[in-house]
Amino acid sequence: MMAKNSSRPELSRDAIVERALEIGDAETLDAVTIRRLGQEFGVTPMALYWHVKNKDELLDAMGDALFAALVVEASDDEAWDVQLRAIVQGLVQALRRHPGSRELAYRRIMQCAVGLQLTERTLRLLRRAGFAPRQAADIAMHALQLAVMLVQSEPGAEAGWTEDDAATRIAEKRAAVEQLPADDFPYLRELAQYMFDCDDPDAFYDFNIDLFIAGARSTLTAGETAESPA
Amino acid sequence: MMAKNSSRPELSRDAIVERALEIGDAETLDAVTIRRLGQEFGVTPMALYWHVKNKDELLDAMGDALFAALVVEASDDEAWDVQLRAIVQGLVQALRRHPGSRELAYRRIMQCAVGLQLTERTLRLLRRAGFAPRQAADIAMHALQLAVMLVQSEPGAEAGWTEDDAATRIAEKRAAVEQLPADDFPYLRELAQYMFDCDDPDAFYDFNIDLFIAGARSTLTAGETAESPA
DNA sequence: ACCTGAACACCGTTCAAGT
DNA sequence: ACCTGAACACCGTTCAAGT
């Protein structure tokens, strides 16, 4: 019952998931391996199978863990568009915590408890705002997937490597664009700095979220004559 | 030089990529294996390394191939929002051809020739429409990523399995939602049919694309006083 | 130019067995 | 309840060698 080694935590499902996320961030998702994890815990690979059914279940658990840090900074009685923005922003903040495992969010967002609760809340606020059922469903899904998409495509945050390594990758991309024929790609060459380098990630997220909210808003006003709110 | 077996095509880079996409669609992306491909061509695994540097390059080539079928049904002198819609639609149509390999599109869209040309065209039309440089860059990226996102999240098109197998998976998901406590998830239960079953995929795509276009449109009019078009 | 044989260092997973 | 040993069927990849 006593800790055998203070630097080596007890083996448990949560500890495994946590360590897996760390490895994903420090290296890559395919560095996350049953055998590697066993090694990190000073245990044989097979020991993990007691705590986790198989690797797929581990990846699912990692995906679910991404949503654990979710906080939505808006109360139920604020305007629907304020709430919707807060939901997407909260999701983005949560997912950004583990860059290496961002792609796992896709398949778990409509599966895990937090994701379902968030979906419920989004549907509720959209229905109450006056969106038709079909619209509410589509916009809710769009909102959640948008958050995943933005995090996944944030310029200059491809794989979870060292920070200065990311800088070199960006430089490579920009260099590749510089080499394109100026006659055929004038605009791309002119705007390359904006596409690959992201000096201000928060501005990037804000702009794209606003774009989405504006679209939703105009959809609502356009359909208001045809549909009657519940 | 003569075909040794008419049912077994010559080994070549293109043939390998094509077969890999077929396997991805018929089964899953991780059924796509160097060894499996060698087997399908009646050749040892190592033979592939002559035509393809390594597996990563193969996956990249598969991703690039997704964009090969791209057609944008809009000419340069149509309104900018019509063109923008046609671009996203064209991309969606192209990516839908290989459901099993959709996830590969993400990392190649700004890398492959077709993707770069499409980006250039999008930037050009947005700049000419009057968007500021930063806005044009963000919206262009958003447009391209949106297409990938929609294809990846089309309800009821998760993995590239049999069509009736997809039906059972949808039924499972809906059943899971039915089991949720009615007090906590009234909206989700009410709208479950819209979220998981997609009776009309084209309508799904149209709605979401329109949502995006509407957002872009309102961004343009909002910023028109501040920015002067080129 | 194009392919094979043999070998290496990895995977995930099962299952009976230990404590 | 929790972990190990041994084994199995897979991977991707290299490299010298064949034709």
Side-chain angles (χ1 to χ4, degrees):
Chain A
M1 263 306 183
M2 63 181 101
K4 34 188 82 160
N5 189 333
S6 57
S7 72
R8 182 182 290 165
E10 294 287 326
L11 191 58
S12 73
R13 191 186 161 93
D14 286 349
I16 292 170
V17 171
E18 188 188 354
R19 194 77 198 94
L21 288 170
E22 287 173 15
I23 295 175
D25 290 337
E27 300 173 39
T28 338
L29 200 55
D30 47 40
V32 174
T33 256
I34 299 285
R35 296 179 115 99
R36 161 76 177 275
L37 283 166
Q39 190 179 313
E40 301 243 355
F41 282 99
V43 108
T44 72
M46 303 81 78
L48 300 209
Y49 284 93
W50 180 261
H51 304 273
V52 128
K53 197 186 158 208
N54 52 32
K55 185 163 182 189
D56 233 58
E57 204 204 68
L58 171 60
L59 292 173
D60 285 350
M62 291 169 67
D64 292 356
L66 294 178
F67 299 99
L70 179 72
V71 264
V72 177
E73 290 179 329
S75 74
D76 280 354
D77 39 61
E78 280 180 280
W80 70 269
D81 50 350
V82 175
Q83 284 190 67
L84 189 56
R85 173 187 282 105
I87 286 172
V88 180
Q89 275 171 338
L91 216 35
V92 163
Q93 293 306 328
L95 297 181
R96 283 176 81 186
R97 298 168 67 95
H98 290 294
S101 305
R102 288 174 302 188
E103 60 187 82
L104 296 175
Y106 251 111
R107 56 178 189 195
R108 297 306 295 172
I109 195 164
M110 292 294 292
Q111 225 81 19
C112 70
V114 179
L116 289 173
Q117 284 162 9
L118 198 66
T119 310
E120 174 69 15
R121 178 171 175 185
T122 310
L123 290 173
R124 171 164 37 101
L125 80 86
L126 290 174
R127 286 291 281 145
R128 288 184 180 166
F131 286 98
R134 163 106 270 165
Q135 289 182 339
D138 280 351
I139 292 178
M141 288 222 51
H142 194 124
L144 307 190
Q145 306 277 174
L146 174 72
V148 180
M149 169 190 121
L150 290 178
V151 173
Q152 203 146 357
S153 70
E154 178 189 333
E158 305 272 306
W161 289 347
T162 359
E163 305 204 2
D164 43 33
D165 181 276
T168 48
R169 301 249 314 188
I170 292 174
E172 282 174 16
K173 281 197 179 180
R174 287 191 55 176
V177 171
E178 306 286 331
Q179 275 183 309
L180 292 173
D183 292 354
D184 296 336
F185 297 95
Y187 287 94
L188 192 53
R189 287 169 56 106
E190 183 197 345
L191 301 178
Q193 45 167 330
Y194 298 117
M195 320 250 346
F196 301 117
D197 201 352
C198 197
D199 48 330
D200 189 352
D202 291 318
F204 165 79
Y205 287 110
D206 284 344
F207 177 80
N208 284 293
I209 295 174
D210 282 346
L211 192 73
F212 163 68
I213 303 284
R217 214 182 276 123
S218 91
T219 299
L220 180 61
T221 54
E224 226 155 28
T225 51
E227 288 286 341
S228 63
Chain B
M1 262 307 184
M2 63 181 101
K4 36 188 81 159
N5 190 333
S6 57
S7 73
R8 183 181 291 163
E10 294 288 326
L11 191 59
S12 74
R13 191 186 160 94
D14 287 348
I16 292 170
V17 171
E18 188 188 356
R19 192 79 198 93
L21 288 171
E22 287 172 15
I23 295 175
D25 291 336
E27 300 171 40
T28 338
L29 200 55
D30 46 40
V32 174
T33 254
I34 299 284
R35 295 179 117 99
R36 161 76 177 275
L37 283 167
Q39 189 178 315
E40 300 241 356
F41 283 99
V43 111
T44 73
M46 302 82 77
L48 299 209
Y49 284 92
W50 180 260
H51 303 275
V52 128
K53 199 185 156 208
N54 53 31
K55 184 164 183 189
D56 232 59
E57 203 204 70
L58 171 61
L59 292 173
D60 284 350
M62 291 170 65
D64 293 356
L66 295 178
F67 299 100
L70 179 71
V71 265
V72 177
E73 291 180 327
S75 73
D76 279 353
D77 40 61
E78 280 180 281
W80 70 268
D81 49 351
V82 175
Q83 284 190 67
L84 188 57
R85 174 186 281 106
I87 286 171
V88 181
Q89 276 171 337
L91 216 35
V92 164
Q93 293 306 328
L95 297 181
R96 284 176 79 187
R97 297 167 68 95
H98 290 294
S101 304
R102 289 174 301 190
E103 60 187 82
L104 296 175
Y106 251 111
R107 57 179 187 192
R108 296 306 294 173
I109 195 163
M110 291 294 292
Q111 225 80 19
C112 68
V114 179
L116 289 173
Q117 284 162 9
L118 197 66
T119 309
E120 173 69 16
R121 179 172 175 184
T122 310
L123 289 174
R124 172 162 35 104
L125 79 87
L126 290 173
R127 285 294 279 145
R128 289 187 179 164
F131 286 97
R134 163 106 270 165
Q135 289 182 338
D138 279 351
I139 293 180
M141 288 221 50
H142 194 126
L144 307 189
Q145 305 277 172
L146 174 71
V148 179
M149 168 191 122
L150 291 178
V151 173
Q152 202 146 356
S153 70
E154 177 190 331
E158 305 274 305
W161 290 348
T162 0
E163 304 205 2
D164 43 33
D165 181 277
T168 49
R169 301 248 315 189
I170 292 175
E172 282 175 17
K173 281 197 178 178
R174 288 192 53 177
V177 171
E178 307 287 331
Q179 275 183 308
L180 291 174
D183 291 355
D184 296 337
F185 297 94
Y187 288 94
L188 192 54
R189 288 168 55 105
E190 183 199 345
L191 302 179
Q193 46 167 329
Y194 298 117
M195 321 248 351
F196 300 118
D197 201 353
C198 195
D199 48 330
D200 188 353
D202 291 318
F204 166 79
Y205 287 110
D206 283 345
F207 177 80
N208 284 293
I209 295 173
D210 281 346
L211 192 73
F212 163 67
I213 302 285
R217 215 182 275 122
S218 92
T219 299
L220 179 60
T221 55
E224 226 155 28
T225 51
E227 286 288 340
S228 62

PDB file of all heavy atoms in Angstrom, chain A residues 84-104:
ATOM      1  N   LEU A  84     -24.134  31.238 -27.166  1.00  0.00           N
ATOM      2  CA  LEU A  84     -23.568  30.367 -28.204  1.00  0.00           C
ATOM      3  C   LEU A  84     -22.079  30.628 -28.377  1.00  0.00           C
ATOM      4  O   LEU A  84     -21.268  29.699 -28.488  1.00  0.00           O
ATOM      5  CB  LEU A  84     -24.318  30.599 -29.529  1.00  0.00           C
ATOM      6  CG  LEU A  84     -24.009  29.629 -30.670  1.00  0.00           C
ATOM      7  CD1 LEU A  84     -24.241  28.190 -30.253  1.00  0.00           C
ATOM      8  CD2 LEU A  84     -24.833  29.964 -31.908  1.00  0.00           C
ATOM      9  N   ARG A  85     -21.729  31.899 -28.358  1.00  0.00           N
ATOM     10  CA  ARG A  85     -20.316  32.244 -28.471  1.00  0.00           C
ATOM     11  C   ARG A  85     -19.531  31.685 -27.276  1.00  0.00           C
ATOM     12  O   ARG A  85     -18.468  31.095 -27.449  1.00  0.00           O
ATOM     13  CB  ARG A  85     -20.121  33.757 -28.532  1.00  0.00           C
ATOM     14  CG  ARG A  85     -18.644  34.158 -28.480  1.00  0.00           C
ATOM     15  CD  ARG A  85     -18.431  35.646 -28.382  1.00  0.00           C
ATOM     16  NE  ARG A  85     -18.595  36.306 -29.660  1.00  0.00           N
ATOM     17  CZ  ARG A  85     -19.637  37.027 -30.007  1.00  0.00           C
ATOM     18  NH1 ARG A  85     -20.634  37.203 -29.153  1.00  0.00           N
ATOM     19  NH2 ARG A  85     -19.689  37.597 -31.180  1.00  0.00           N
ATOM     20  N   ALA A  86     -20.082  31.819 -26.100  1.00  0.00           N
ATOM     21  CA  ALA A  86     -19.396  31.321 -24.906  1.00  0.00           C
ATOM     22  C   ALA A  86     -19.196  29.810 -24.965  1.00  0.00           C
ATOM     23  O   ALA A  86     -18.178  29.288 -24.509  1.00  0.00           O
ATOM     24  CB  ALA A  86     -20.181  31.702 -23.657  1.00  0.00           C
ATOM     25  N   ILE A  87     -20.151  29.120 -25.535  1.00  0.00           N
ATOM     26  CA  ILE A  87     -20.045  27.660 -25.652  1.00  0.00           C
ATOM     27  C   ILE A  87     -18.885  27.285 -26.565  1.00  0.00           C
ATOM     28  O   ILE A  87     -18.035  26.457 -26.215  1.00  0.00           O
ATOM     29  CB  ILE A  87     -21.368  27.067 -26.173  1.00  0.00           C
ATOM     30  CG1 ILE A  87     -22.416  27.098 -25.051  1.00  0.00           C
ATOM     31  CG2 ILE A  87     -21.178  25.657 -26.692  1.00  0.00           C
ATOM     32  CD1 ILE A  87     -23.809  26.716 -25.504  1.00  0.00           C
ATOM     33  N   VAL A  88     -18.841  27.896 -27.734  1.00  0.00           N
ATOM     34  CA  VAL A  88     -17.758  27.584 -28.667  1.00  0.00           C
ATOM     35  C   VAL A  88     -16.414  27.979 -28.065  1.00  0.00           C
ATOM     36  O   VAL A  88     -15.436  27.233 -28.136  1.00  0.00           O
ATOM     37  CB  VAL A  88     -17.979  28.282 -30.024  1.00  0.00           C
ATOM     38  CG1 VAL A  88     -16.852  27.941 -30.984  1.00  0.00           C
ATOM     39  CG2 VAL A  88     -19.314  27.869 -30.622  1.00  0.00           C
ATOM     40  N   GLN A  89     -16.384  29.162 -27.447  1.00  0.00           N
ATOM     41  CA  GLN A  89     -15.127  29.606 -26.831  1.00  0.00           C
ATOM     42  C   GLN A  89     -14.670  28.646 -25.726  1.00  0.00           C
ATOM     43  O   GLN A  89     -13.491  28.296 -25.643  1.00  0.00           O
ATOM     44  CB  GLN A  89     -15.299  31.012 -26.257  1.00  0.00           C
ATOM     45  CG  GLN A  89     -15.081  32.103 -27.281  1.00  0.00           C
ATOM     46  CD  GLN A  89     -15.469  33.472 -26.766  1.00  0.00           C
ATOM     47  OE1 GLN A  89     -16.264  33.587 -25.829  1.00  0.00           O
ATOM     48  NE2 GLN A  89     -14.929  34.505 -27.387  1.00  0.00           N
ATOM     49  N   GLY A  90     -15.604  28.225 -24.894  1.00  0.00           N
ATOM     50  CA  GLY A  90     -15.257  27.302 -23.823  1.00  0.00           C
ATOM     51  C   GLY A  90     -14.689  26.001 -24.357  1.00  0.00           C
ATOM     52  O   GLY A  90     -13.685  25.484 -23.862  1.00  0.00           O
ATOM     53  N   LEU A  91     -15.330  25.517 -25.408  1.00  0.00           N
ATOM     54  CA  LEU A  91     -14.873  24.282 -26.041  1.00  0.00           C
ATOM     55  C   LEU A  91     -13.465  24.447 -26.589  1.00  0.00           C
ATOM     56  O   LEU A  91     -12.589  23.592 -26.408  1.00  0.00           O
ATOM     57  CB  LEU A  91     -15.858  23.936 -27.164  1.00  0.00           C
ATOM     58  CG  LEU A  91     -16.204  22.487 -27.454  1.00  0.00           C
ATOM     59  CD1 LEU A  91     -16.236  21.648 -26.194  1.00  0.00           C
ATOM     60  CD2 LEU A  91     -17.534  22.424 -28.168  1.00  0.00           C
ATOM     61  N   VAL A  92     -13.249  25.559 -27.258  1.00  0.00           N
ATOM     62  CA  VAL A  92     -11.934  25.829 -27.831  1.00  0.00           C
ATOM     63  C   VAL A  92     -10.877  25.858 -26.725  1.00  0.00           C
ATOM     64  O   VAL A  92      -9.818  25.234 -26.839  1.00  0.00           O
ATOM     65  CB  VAL A  92     -11.948  27.164 -28.607  1.00  0.00           C
ATOM     66  CG1 VAL A  92     -10.528  27.658 -28.849  1.00  0.00           C
ATOM     67  CG2 VAL A  92     -12.684  27.008 -29.924  1.00  0.00           C
ATOM     68  N   GLN A  93     -11.163  26.570 -25.660  1.00  0.00           N
ATOM     69  CA  GLN A  93     -10.204  26.655 -24.560  1.00  0.00           C
ATOM     70  C   GLN A  93      -9.878  25.275 -24.001  1.00  0.00           C
ATOM     71  O   GLN A  93      -8.727  24.948 -23.721  1.00  0.00           O
ATOM     72  CB  GLN A  93     -10.747  27.561 -23.448  1.00  0.00           C
ATOM     73  CG  GLN A  93     -10.866  29.018 -23.834  1.00  0.00           C
ATOM     74  CD  GLN A  93      -9.563  29.603 -24.365  1.00  0.00           C
ATOM     75  OE1 GLN A  93      -8.473  29.214 -23.966  1.00  0.00           O
ATOM     76  NE2 GLN A  93      -9.670  30.526 -25.296  1.00  0.00           N
ATOM     77  N   ALA A  94     -10.914  24.470 -23.835  1.00  0.00           N
ATOM     78  CA  ALA A  94     -10.701  23.132 -23.278  1.00  0.00           C
ATOM     79  C   ALA A  94      -9.819  22.282 -24.196  1.00  0.00           C
ATOM     80  O   ALA A  94      -8.878  21.628 -23.739  1.00  0.00           O
ATOM     81  CB  ALA A  94     -12.040  22.442 -23.051  1.00  0.00           C
ATOM     82  N   LEU A  95     -10.105  22.321 -25.479  1.00  0.00           N
ATOM     83  CA  LEU A  95      -9.380  21.459 -26.418  1.00  0.00           C
ATOM     84  C   LEU A  95      -7.939  21.914 -26.620  1.00  0.00           C
ATOM     85  O   LEU A  95      -7.065  21.112 -26.924  1.00  0.00           O
ATOM     86  CB  LEU A  95     -10.110  21.415 -27.760  1.00  0.00           C
ATOM     87  CG  LEU A  95     -11.512  20.806 -27.729  1.00  0.00           C
ATOM     88  CD1 LEU A  95     -12.123  20.795 -29.120  1.00  0.00           C
ATOM     89  CD2 LEU A  95     -11.489  19.394 -27.151  1.00  0.00           C
ATOM     90  N   ARG A  96      -7.714  23.202 -26.457  1.00  0.00           N
ATOM     91  CA  ARG A  96      -6.355  23.715 -26.669  1.00  0.00           C
ATOM     92  C   ARG A  96      -5.373  23.223 -25.615  1.00  0.00           C
ATOM     93  O   ARG A  96      -4.162  23.366 -25.784  1.00  0.00           O
ATOM     94  CB  ARG A  96      -6.369  25.249 -26.666  1.00  0.00           C
ATOM     95  CG  ARG A  96      -6.898  25.837 -27.959  1.00  0.00           C
ATOM     96  CD  ARG A  96      -6.977  27.339 -27.867  1.00  0.00           C
ATOM     97  NE  ARG A  96      -5.689  27.985 -28.095  1.00  0.00           N
ATOM     98  CZ  ARG A  96      -5.478  29.287 -27.956  1.00  0.00           C
ATOM     99  NH1 ARG A  96      -6.479  30.065 -27.577  1.00  0.00           N
ATOM    100  NH2 ARG A  96      -4.313  29.805 -28.173  1.00  0.00           N
ATOM    101  N   ARG A  97      -5.890  22.681 -24.548  1.00  0.00           N
ATOM    102  CA  ARG A  97      -5.005  22.235 -23.469  1.00  0.00           C
ATOM    103  C   ARG A  97      -4.163  21.028 -23.856  1.00  0.00           C
ATOM    104  O   ARG A  97      -3.126  20.769 -23.237  1.00  0.00           O
ATOM    105  CB  ARG A  97      -5.825  21.910 -22.222  1.00  0.00           C
ATOM    106  CG  ARG A  97      -6.574  23.108 -21.666  1.00  0.00           C
ATOM    107  CD  ARG A  97      -7.577  22.671 -20.628  1.00  0.00           C
ATOM    108  NE  ARG A  97      -6.950  22.142 -19.444  1.00  0.00           N
ATOM    109  CZ  ARG A  97      -6.698  22.847 -18.347  1.00  0.00           C
ATOM    110  NH1 ARG A  97      -7.028  24.127 -18.311  1.00  0.00           N
ATOM    111  NH2 ARG A  97      -6.128  22.300 -17.308  1.00  0.00           N
ATOM    112  N   HIS A  98      -4.636  20.272 -24.840  1.00  0.00           N
ATOM    113  CA  HIS A  98      -3.889  19.078 -25.255  1.00  0.00           C
ATOM    114  C   HIS A  98      -3.764  19.016 -26.772  1.00  0.00           C
ATOM    115  O   HIS A  98      -4.481  18.259 -27.432  1.00  0.00           O
ATOM    116  CB  HIS A  98      -4.562  17.818 -24.709  1.00  0.00           C
ATOM    117  CG  HIS A  98      -4.447  17.669 -23.239  1.00  0.00           C
ATOM    118  ND1 HIS A  98      -3.236  17.468 -22.599  1.00  0.00           N
ATOM    119  CD2 HIS A  98      -5.364  17.737 -22.262  1.00  0.00           C
ATOM    120  CE1 HIS A  98      -3.420  17.383 -21.298  1.00  0.00           C
ATOM    121  NE2 HIS A  98      -4.705  17.551 -21.055  1.00  0.00           N
ATOM    122  N   PRO A  99      -2.816  19.812 -27.281  1.00  0.00           N
ATOM    123  CA  PRO A  99      -2.663  19.927 -28.737  1.00  0.00           C
ATOM    124  C   PRO A  99      -2.411  18.591 -29.425  1.00  0.00           C
ATOM    125  O   PRO A  99      -2.858  18.384 -30.553  1.00  0.00           O
ATOM    126  CB  PRO A  99      -1.430  20.831 -28.883  1.00  0.00           C
ATOM    127  CG  PRO A  99      -1.213  21.454 -27.562  1.00  0.00           C
ATOM    128  CD  PRO A  99      -1.807  20.557 -26.536  1.00  0.00           C
ATOM    129  N   GLY A 100      -1.715  17.723 -28.765  1.00  0.00           N
ATOM    130  CA  GLY A 100      -1.346  16.455 -29.394  1.00  0.00           C
ATOM    131  C   GLY A 100      -2.514  15.516 -29.605  1.00  0.00           C
ATOM    132  O   GLY A 100      -2.444  14.605 -30.434  1.00  0.00           O
ATOM    133  N   SER A 101      -3.580  15.719 -28.882  1.00  0.00           N
ATOM    134  CA  SER A 101      -4.705  14.779 -28.950  1.00  0.00           C
ATOM    135  C   SER A 101      -5.974  15.418 -29.483  1.00  0.00           C
ATOM    136  O   SER A 101      -7.064  14.849 -29.330  1.00  0.00           O
ATOM    137  CB  SER A 101      -4.960  14.187 -27.555  1.00  0.00           C
ATOM    138  OG  SER A 101      -3.774  13.603 -27.038  1.00  0.00           O
ATOM    139  N   ARG A 102      -5.821  16.573 -30.098  1.00  0.00           N
ATOM    140  CA  ARG A 102      -7.005  17.300 -30.543  1.00  0.00           C
ATOM    141  C   ARG A 102      -7.888  16.487 -31.472  1.00  0.00           C
ATOM    142  O   ARG A 102      -9.113  16.558 -31.406  1.00  0.00           O
ATOM    143  CB  ARG A 102      -6.571  18.580 -31.260  1.00  0.00           C
ATOM    144  CG  ARG A 102      -6.021  19.604 -30.319  1.00  0.00           C
ATOM    145  CD  ARG A 102      -5.472  20.768 -31.081  1.00  0.00           C
ATOM    146  NE  ARG A 102      -4.428  20.335 -32.029  1.00  0.00           N
ATOM    147  CZ  ARG A 102      -3.666  21.155 -32.711  1.00  0.00           C
ATOM    148  NH1 ARG A 102      -3.816  22.456 -32.558  1.00  0.00           N
ATOM    149  NH2 ARG A 102      -2.762  20.705 -33.541  1.00  0.00           N
ATOM    150  N   GLU A 103      -7.261  15.673 -32.327  1.00  0.00           N
ATOM    151  CA  GLU A 103      -8.064  14.947 -33.313  1.00  0.00           C
ATOM    152  C   GLU A 103      -9.007  13.927 -32.676  1.00  0.00           C
ATOM    153  O   GLU A 103      -9.954  13.467 -33.311  1.00  0.00           O
ATOM    154  CB  GLU A 103      -7.145  14.250 -34.312  1.00  0.00           C
ATOM    155  CG  GLU A 103      -6.194  13.256 -33.688  1.00  0.00           C
ATOM    156  CD  GLU A 103      -5.184  12.728 -34.726  1.00  0.00           C
ATOM    157  OE1 GLU A 103      -4.172  13.432 -34.986  1.00  0.00           O
ATOM    158  OE2 GLU A 103      -5.414  11.659 -35.259  1.00  0.00           O
ATOM    159  N   LEU A 104      -8.755  13.594 -31.432  1.00  0.00           N
ATOM    160  CA  LEU A 104      -9.629  12.627 -30.756  1.00  0.00           C
ATOM    161  C   LEU A 104     -10.979  13.231 -30.398  1.00  0.00           C
ATOM    162  O   LEU A 104     -11.946  12.510 -30.138  1.00  0.00           O
ATOM    163  CB  LEU A 104      -8.949  12.117 -29.483  1.00  0.00           C
ATOM    164  CG  LEU A 104      -7.652  11.334 -29.683  1.00  0.00           C
ATOM    165  CD1 LEU A 104      -7.027  10.986 -28.352  1.00  0.00           C
ATOM    166  CD2 LEU A 104      -7.910  10.088 -30.504  1.00  0.00           C
TER     167      LEU A 104
END
